[in-house]
Amino acid sequence: MAKKRPAAKSAKPQLQNGEIPVVGAREPCPCGSGRRYKACHGAAAAHAATAHVQRPFEGLPGECDWVALRELVPAATIPLTLKGGLPEGVPSVTLVTVLPMAWPALRREDGSVLLALQNDSTTGDLARDMADTLERALATEPGNPVPGRRVPAEGPRLQDLLDTDGVFEPVVHSGFEFWIPDAETAQNASPEIAASLERANAAAIPTVKLASVESAYWCETPDKNHLRWVMPHPEEKLLDALARLHAAGTSSLGEGTRLVGSFRAHGLVVPVWDLPTGMTADDVEKPAAEFAERLATALASDAPLTAEERRARGGLTNRQITLS
């Protein structure tokens, strides 16, 4: 006769979804269902980790600048406006490109919050991950960083927490001194932060945001300078327009410059130009504004591409890469 199975133990108290801790995939699910975690609440977490949101910043003011600060700009800050205003004890919330030791966020001694943009996503939706970090930062005791964690599958996104009618105006910095409060100096910072600041400043590529057009950033590298311009237009329409200009010989930004291709980042297309080493950000302001007028005309055209324009489009497409 088959052995009798031991009597089932009484079921563990059921936990609410928001209280389910993360455990090993083969371990019993903490909810008390008796199933392994990967077959129970872990299934939702695994799905969330692979569900990629192509345009996480869509619907936020300055979507193109969100993408630029995430992928292109070393050091920048932007004040954020929350829906319903700031909580008591929080004088300000500031988006920053990166924080020391790659902290997702920091609650300063005065209660203000710094929220870092250049961090990994655990759910595939940067807007959800950053909203989770922001909520935890607002509740963190002043004077402490906010650690990373696996973000729950459900929860608010930045679009739910931020005032989408607010202004989004990035301030680009030459270094990361914004890590340190005005009342302090780099010499008075902790050894870890001082060392991180020194390394970050040494690695930062000089970058300037153009004033004549939206979301275009000049940067200086040892061999040549570049202009990288995040554009909001639908990809196919934009590539057609760039091909028209390229075939007509009007896609450059002046003598010695060249449209070398583009890349995709967070659902948007970012054309890139090579610039001569001596061409400064000020030098490229007027050519960029003039190019924007030519691009607007090309975007308005519905005419089929000519054979030469199709060849130009193919060349641009072949040189396109995807960052995210």
Side-chain angles (χ1 to χ4, degrees), residues 72 227-231 235-236 238-240 242-243 246 258-265 268-274 312-323:
L72 309 177
L227 183 71
R228 300 176 290 186
W229 192 340
V230 187
M231 296 188 172
E235 180 175 343
E236 296 304 314
L238 176 57
L239 289 176
D240 282 353
L242 292 173
H246 204 60
R258 185 168 67 100
L259 174 63
V260 293
S262 64
F263 59 88
R264 301 183 191 90
L268 299 181
V269 176
V270 187
V272 179
W273 285 261
D274 279 351
R313 193 186 194 282
L316 290 172
T317 303
N318 289 339
R319 296 193 297 274
Q320 189 178 55
I321 62 174
T322 300
L323 295 186

Side-chain angles (χ1 to χ4, degrees), residues 242-259:
L242 292 173
R244 295 181 198 278
L245 298 178
H246 204 60
T250 58
S251 64
S252 75
L253 299 173
E255 185 178 354
T257 72
R258 185 168 67 100
L259 174 63

